[in-house]
Structure formats: structure tokens, C-alpha cells
């Protein structure tokens, strides 16, 4: 297996027999919680690497359409959503996971627009935007009711 396909497949999580996107998001939450615990900067760097490295890997893997096994976009979007958390507490991690998955599946507004784009841009952009929206919502919750995300 080429390294580009391995990265595009979310380090193998994309080959889960069912719900590969959800499996990848759950794996991203676990890895992201460790990164957030180490440093918010470590999580930010990982999100940037997943976004831009994922784009490059999807292009290099010659992916056509949006196959279910390509899930590096879930890692990028999930980690972006988690950037709004102050620390890796269970309520915040669960909130980031659920909110990101809802936005990624429902594809409202700009998420749906990005999803309709072709190629690596479309594959990556919808999840990056969904992660950004989730981070904004979680950031507002953190300001108004910080106790909910502890």
C-alpha cells in the first residue's frame, strides 16, 4: 500500500467495515485528546498537517469521487472542532465529536457547498468547514456556559 493511500485512509481507519467516517472521527478524538492534553499547539499543528497533508495525500493517491475509505478529512475536521476545547474533558470531547459528525452528515450551507466541489478540494473542504463551524459553536458554548464542556 502506498503511503499516500495509507494517509488518505486515515492511517487505516478508512478500511473499517462499517461507518468508516465515524470510526475515523472516534480515532481522531482519541488521538486529539492526547495532543490537546500535551498542548493545544500540538493539536493545532496536527490539524494543519491533516488538512494540508490530507489534501496532498488524496491528490497523490489519485482518488476519484469521494470513496468511503478516504477519511483523513474526518481527522482534519475533528481536530479543528476540538481546537475550541480548553482541555480534553469527556463532555467537551463528546460534544466536539457529536457536533462535528452532525455537521458532516447533514452538510448544511457552506459544508454542502464544499462537498459538491470535485477532487481533493471537495473531499477535504467540507470536513474542514464542518470542523470550523463546530469549533465556533463550541467556542460560544465555552464563553456562555464553560461548565458544560468540563
Amino acid at each position: 500500500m502506498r503511503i499516500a493511500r495509507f494517509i488518505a485512509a486515515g492511517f487505516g481507519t478508512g478500511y473499517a467495515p462499517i461507518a468508516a467516517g465515524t470510526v475515523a472521527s472516534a480515532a481522531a478524538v482519541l488521538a486529539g485528546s492526547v495532543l490537546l492534553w500535551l498542548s493545544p499547539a500540538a493539536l493545532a499543528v496536527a490539524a494543519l498537517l491533516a488538512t494540508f497533508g490530507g489534501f496532498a495525500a488524496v491528490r497523490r493517491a489519485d482518488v476519484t469521487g469521494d470513496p468511503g475509505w478516504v477519511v483523513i478529512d474526518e481527522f482534519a475536521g475533528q481536530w479543528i472542532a476540538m481546537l475550541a476545547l480548553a482541555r480534553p474533558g469527556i463532555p467537551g470531547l463528546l460534544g466536539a465529536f457529536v457536533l462535528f459528525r452532525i455537521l458532516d452528515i447533514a452538510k448544511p450551507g457552506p459544508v454542502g457547498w464544499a462537498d459538491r466541489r470535485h477532487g481533493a478540494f471537495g473531499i477535504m473542504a467540507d470536513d474542514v468547514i464542518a470542523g470550523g463551524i463546530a469549533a465556533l459553536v463550541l467556542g460560544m458554548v465555552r464563553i456562555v456556559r464553560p461548565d458544560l464542556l468540563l
Side-chain angles (χ1 to χ4, degrees), residues 41-72:
L43 180 60
V45 168
L48 282 170
L49 288 173
T51 299
F52 295 106
F55 176 80
V58 170
R59 288 197 62 197
R60 180 79 173 126
D62 296 323
V63 173
T64 57
D66 191 355
W69 61 268
V70 173
V71 293
I72 190 63

Side-chain angles (χ1 to χ4, degrees), residues 75-104:
F75 277 82
Q78 191 65 71
W79 286 343
I80 290 167
M82 292 172 64
L83 289 173
L85 303 177
R87 61 183 185 87
I90 297 296
L93 295 172
L94 186 60
F97 175 79
V98 170
L99 188 55
F100 170 72
R101 289 306 296 152
I102 288 171
L103 290 165
D104 185 31

Side-chain angles (χ1 to χ4, degrees), residues 120-149:
F121 177 82
I123 290 172
M124 294 300 298
D126 69 314
D127 290 80
V128 168
I129 293 169
I133 293 170
L136 287 172
V137 171
L138 289 168
M140 289 188 291
V141 169
R142 201 169 140 205
I143 291 167
V144 176
R145 291 286 310 273
D147 57 304
L148 291 179
L149 299 178

Side-chain angles (χ1 to χ4, degrees), residues 3-19:
I3 189 73
R5 285 184 71 86
F6 182 69
I7 293 168
F11 314 103
T13 59
Y15 299 118
I18 56 170

Side-chain angles (χ1 to χ4, degrees), residues 11 16 22-23 29 35 38-39 81-83 105 115 118 138 141 148:
F11 314 103
T22 301
V23 169
V29 167
L35 292 168
L38 290 171
S39 163
M82 292 172 64
L83 289 173
I105 292 166
D115 185 59
H118 300 289
L138 289 168
V141 169
L148 291 179

